[in-house]
Amino acid sequence: MRPFVVALVASVAVPAIALAQLPVSASASDPYYKAGEAALARQLAVVPNTGRAKNVILFLGDGMGVSTVTAGRIYDGQLKGVDGESNSLAFEKLSYAALSKTYSHDTQVTDSAAGITAIMTGVKTRNKIIGLTGAAIGEKCETEKGNAVQTLAELAKANGKAAGAVTTTRVTHATPAGAYAHTAYRDWEGDSDMPVEALQAGCKDIARQLVEAPDALRLDVVMGGGRSRFLPEDKDGKRADGRDLTAEWLKAEGTGSAYVTTVDQLKALPADTQHVLGLFASEHLPYEVERPVLEQGVPTLAEMATTAVDVLSKNPNGYFLLVEGGKIDMGSHLGNAKRTLSETVEFSKAIEAVLAKVDLKDTLVVVTADHSHGLVISGYAPRNSPILGVSGNEGEPAIAADGKTYTTLMFATGPGGPLGSDTRADPAKEDLDDVDYHQQAVVNLPSAAHAGEDVGVFADGPQAYLLRGVVEESYIFQVMRHAFGFDGAAPAGKKR
């Protein structure tokens, strides 16, 4: 046995000798190596905050998959005139990150209704359903009874905190509705959107649920579009019941409340304002690329979000705030990467503006998406090539098998897909920077489909360190609830 032992010892010693004989490395002077050292130093300096959160802010980039984040960071950098590939969006600088599994209770690929329900309640449900368990059935009013689940916003209000929701979509749209509504169908935004049977059975439209929520649970701040769902037809609304829900909201909130419809009114809010309903468009707010033409006094997402923080911060007990970049998703549904990326950049700007106002010592900030989209980044375009341009190969435009170029960004499905025997257009002969350009797609659909891969979660503040690894989308709720100290406060269902 002795020769074997000697051989083993000798083999262990070999690596040490080899290491000692390594030549001098050029790594230390390499900029990538030095950047990596700096990044490691920053991470080593991070100390997990295990305290309780006074405030929780959830930023939801609707449809903002990993490829959208990547393309968005490149686009953002190129707009700024810096290296896009190594650029970082505001939320990518947060200390913690994870991946979220987004499947719904009944589908591999979730919609926004089921996605926000998972994040806001900890319960996965069926597509098209908001604030109800998976026992509820889409468009079946009778299945709402007994299946409602508490949202984090409702828990915050019940525990004496303020709560709000800000969006670039209608405030009755799926994601913002996820803060306060419980409905068997996401499209029941106003009474004119509902079938007679559902109304007769006692189900409420989403706008009514916002206004008629009990005083102790009603949101303090709501801002976005969707004015039509709150006003009767004689006031340019779509309500069939003749009610003016904006007036009813003001009456219910009483002293210290304000209803605003323009950015100037938003900026002129009295200092003692504690409740704000801001409806800045009849439907969704305009895309940022349309702001020069369609602004019409509409505030940016950053202006709405920072104002919401100012108003909600007046509650000494703290607050919960949901901020949605809702038109990221809508740009992708159009197969229009320029709108998608522009909205992603604006979403990042809103996060940056809010981060400048809050203290991460007592405020948990979570940034995520409800689902991904079929946007892909492919080819070998040279570094610093326009992200909206054609792909490349060793400095030359990449040529596909049909002899035509293709763009770096494409969609799996959408309006840019082929129809019948149509031949593929050559992107090199098109204006790829046109705001209405539709990236090419594999399959033609009038509206691009969501995608089912995991999405990113970025976080900082109290208990943010619990967001790591690969997690269920519904787990995000558990971390936010735990950060607030509401553990054990949310039953699986509540009576309605």
Side-chain angles (χ1 to χ4, degrees):
M1 294 295 293
R2 184 171 297 175
F4 173 80
V5 173
V6 172
L8 179 61
V9 172
S11 68
V12 171
V14 169
I17 295 172
L19 285 172
Q21 295 174 345
L22 279 174
V24 176
S25 173
S27 300
S29 61
D30 183 87
Y32 296 107
Y33 190 92
K34 294 172 73 174
E37 283 187 318
L40 175 62
R42 289 193 298 271
Q43 288 300 316
L44 290 171
V46 173
V47 177
N49 182 341
T50 59
R52 292 299 182 201
K54 179 180 180 182
N55 317 304
V56 172
I57 304 176
L58 171 63
F59 288 95
L60 197 294
D62 201 312
M64 191 181 70
V66 172
S67 57
T68 299
V69 173
T70 302
R73 90 163 67 105
I74 296 172
Y75 185 66
D76 177 61
Q78 292 178 345
L79 289 176
K80 294 175 179 175
V82 301
D83 177 48
E85 287 77 5
S86 63
N87 181 49
S88 293
L89 296 168
F91 54 90
E92 294 183 287
K93 300 173 186 177
L94 299 177
S95 298
Y96 301 94
L99 289 174
S100 166
K101 297 187 284 185
T102 61
Y103 65 91
S104 71
H105 178 68
D106 62 337
T107 62
Q108 290 181 336
V109 180
T110 191
D111 77 336
S112 293
I116 192 61
T117 297
I119 296 170
M120 285 296 297
T121 73
V123 174
K124 291 210 175 198
T125 192
R126 300 175 190 272
N127 282 8
K128 301 182 180 180
I129 289 174
I130 301 172
L132 306 173
T133 70
I137 306 299
E139 300 184 66
K140 298 293 185 181
C141 173
E142 64 274 15
T143 66
E144 291 184 5
K145 187 175 182 180
N147 288 318
V149 283
Q150 291 176 318
T151 74
L152 189 66
E154 290 172 331
L155 284 171
K157 288 289 294 183
N159 282 272
K161 295 179 180 290
V166 169
T167 180
T168 50
T169 70
R170 294 187 296 267
V171 299
T172 50
H173 208 236
T175 297
Y180 62 87
H182 308 272
T183 178
Y185 193 44
R186 57 176 290 176
D187 289 347
W188 289 350
E189 296 184 47
D191 65 333
S192 61
D193 301 316
M194 299 179 67
V196 174
E197 310 85 72
L199 291 170
Q200 291 177 340
C203 282
K204 294 183 180 181
D205 63 82
I206 294 173
R208 271 188 67 192
Q209 290 189 43
L210 171 62
V211 173
E212 294 181 359
D215 291 345
L217 298 181
R218 190 166 47 248
L219 296 184
D220 300 282
V221 173
V222 180
M223 286 189 267
R227 195 164 55 236
S228 63
R229 302 312 193 272
F230 293 81
L231 297 175
E233 296 176 359
D234 61 0
K235 293 185 178 180
D236 296 323
K238 293 183 177 180
R239 293 204 66 82
D241 58 13
R243 295 171 62 178
D244 181 344
L245 295 184
T246 64
E248 292 183 27
W249 181 89
L250 278 170
K251 182 178 179 180
E253 291 295 357
T255 305
S257 63
Y259 167 56
V260 294
T261 60
T262 69
V263 65
D264 290 339
Q265 292 174 347
L266 184 67
K267 292 179 178 179
L269 286 174
D272 61 349
T273 302
Q274 296 183 39
H275 312 283
V276 179
L277 177 60
L279 301 176
F280 303 104
S282 180
E283 299 297 330
H284 301 306
L285 302 190
Y287 289 96
E288 280 302 313
V289 295
E290 297 167 343
R291 182 171 291 278
V293 177
L294 299 176
E295 178 185 5
Q296 299 172 337
V298 175
T300 64
L301 183 60
E303 288 171 328
M304 291 190 291
T306 52
T307 300
V309 168
D310 289 340
V311 174
L312 296 173
S313 295
K314 294 171 185 174
N315 186 317
N317 298 320
Y319 60 86
F320 167 78
L321 174 62
L322 167 64
V323 179
E324 184 202 20
K327 303 203 75 172
I328 299 171
D329 172 73
M330 294 181 181
S332 290
H333 276 301
L334 292 173
N336 181 210
K338 185 161 188 173
R339 280 182 167 83
T340 296
L341 302 190
S342 297
E343 293 298 314
T344 302
V345 170
E346 289 302 312
F347 182 61
S348 178
K349 288 179 181 179
I351 295 170
E352 184 176 31
V354 169
L355 287 173
K357 295 182 74 70
V358 304
D359 189 344
L360 292 176
K361 291 180 181 178
D362 66 2
T363 301
L364 170 63
V365 172
V366 178
V367 182
T368 190
D370 47 357
H371 57 77
S372 182
H373 251 287
L375 178 70
V376 294
I377 309 171
S378 60
Y380 304 94
R383 185 80 171 263
N384 298 317
S385 296
I387 190 64
L388 294 173
V390 296
S391 192
N393 188 7
E394 297 182 352
E396 296 295 327
I399 305 299
D402 60 2
K404 300 172 183 177
T405 62
Y406 60 91
T407 53
T408 298
L409 299 181
M410 291 184 285
F411 285 88
T413 64
L419 279 174
S421 59
D422 289 351
T423 58
R424 188 173 72 91
D426 189 342
K429 299 177 181 179
E430 299 180 302
D431 182 2
L432 304 183
D433 199 47
D434 189 300
V435 70
D436 291 316
Y437 178 75
H438 296 284
Q439 270 64 28
Q440 292 178 350
V442 177
V443 175
N444 189 290
L445 291 177
S447 176
H450 295 171
E453 69 268 18
D454 300 349
V455 299
V457 185
F458 309 85
D460 216 333
Q463 308 297 324
Y465 73 97
L466 296 174
L467 288 164
R468 59 193 180 204
V470 180
V471 304
E472 294 286 353
E473 189 167 46
S474 49
Y475 171 76
I476 298 170
F477 165 83
Q478 300 294 348
V479 173
M480 296 188 294
R481 183 184 67 156
H482 175 69
F484 264 148
F486 297 163
D487 300 72
K494 68 176 184 180
K495 299 291 183 182
R496 296 199 69 203

